[in-house]
């Protein structure tokens, strides 16, 4: 479970920190959270495409590096120090997919 985030949103967030002369370490991700399965489901929902999706446990997938089961970051410091409106991951995903004009 994580918070998918558009690189464009990360760039805007970094610009906001620079504009406000903030220094230090900040976490930033889109708001909300989902699993990889939920992410794939949302892509198919938005695009209107169909696929047979089958959820699998992360522990059943062989990966070169161990990944945490829950990797949602705490962005409270970023929220406290900026007036930036953090988008929900699914709204950003919809905007991105629509910009591709593929469907």
């Amino acid at each position: 479970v994580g918070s998918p985030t558009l690189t464009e949103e990360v760039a805007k967030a970094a610009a906001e920190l620079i504009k406000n002369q903030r220094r230090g370490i900040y976490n930033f991700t889109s708001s909300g959270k989902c699993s990889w399965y939920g992410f794939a489901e949302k892509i198919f929902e938005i695009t209107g495409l169909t696929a047979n999706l089958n959820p699998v446990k992360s522990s059943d997938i062989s990966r070169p590096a161990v990944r945490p089961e829950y990797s949602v970051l705490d962005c409270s410091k970023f929220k406290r120090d900026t007036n930036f409106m953090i988008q929900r991951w699914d709204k950003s995903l919809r905007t991105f997919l629509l910009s591709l004009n593929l469907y």
Side-chain angles (χ1 to χ4, degrees):
V1 174
S3 299
T5 307
L6 277 175
T7 54
E8 183 178 318
E9 290 295 309
V10 174
K12 289 177 184 177
E16 182 73 12
L17 290 170
I18 292 166
K19 182 177 88 176
N20 290 297
Q21 299 181 348
R22 299 295 180 180
R23 290 176 168 61
I25 297 173
Y26 286 84
N27 290 331
F28 178 81
T29 62
S30 292
S31 64
K33 59 187 174 188
C34 67
S35 65
W36 282 109
Y37 178 78
F39 188 63
E41 272 188 318
K42 186 57 75 172
I43 291 169
F44 287 105
E45 176 188 315
I46 293 168
T47 61
L49 299 171
T50 57
N52 292 323
L53 298 177
N54 297 306
V56 295
K57 293 180 180 181
S58 293
S59 59
D60 293 340
I61 300 170
S62 177
R63 296 185 178 186
V66 178
R67 305 281 184 209
E69 288 184 27
Y70 187 83
S71 59
V72 176
L73 299 178
D74 177 1
C75 300
S76 59
K77 180 180 174 186
F78 179 85
K79 291 176 189 176
R80 181 194 71 213
D81 290 353
T82 70
N83 292 320
F84 189 80
M85 284 298 301
I86 299 175
Q87 296 286 337
R88 276 193 50 86
W89 71 269
D90 49 346
K91 182 177 179 185
S92 292
L93 176 62
R94 180 178 300 280
T95 300
F96 172 72
L97 290 172
L98 290 172
S99 76
L100 296 176
N101 296 315
L102 295 176
Y103 55 96

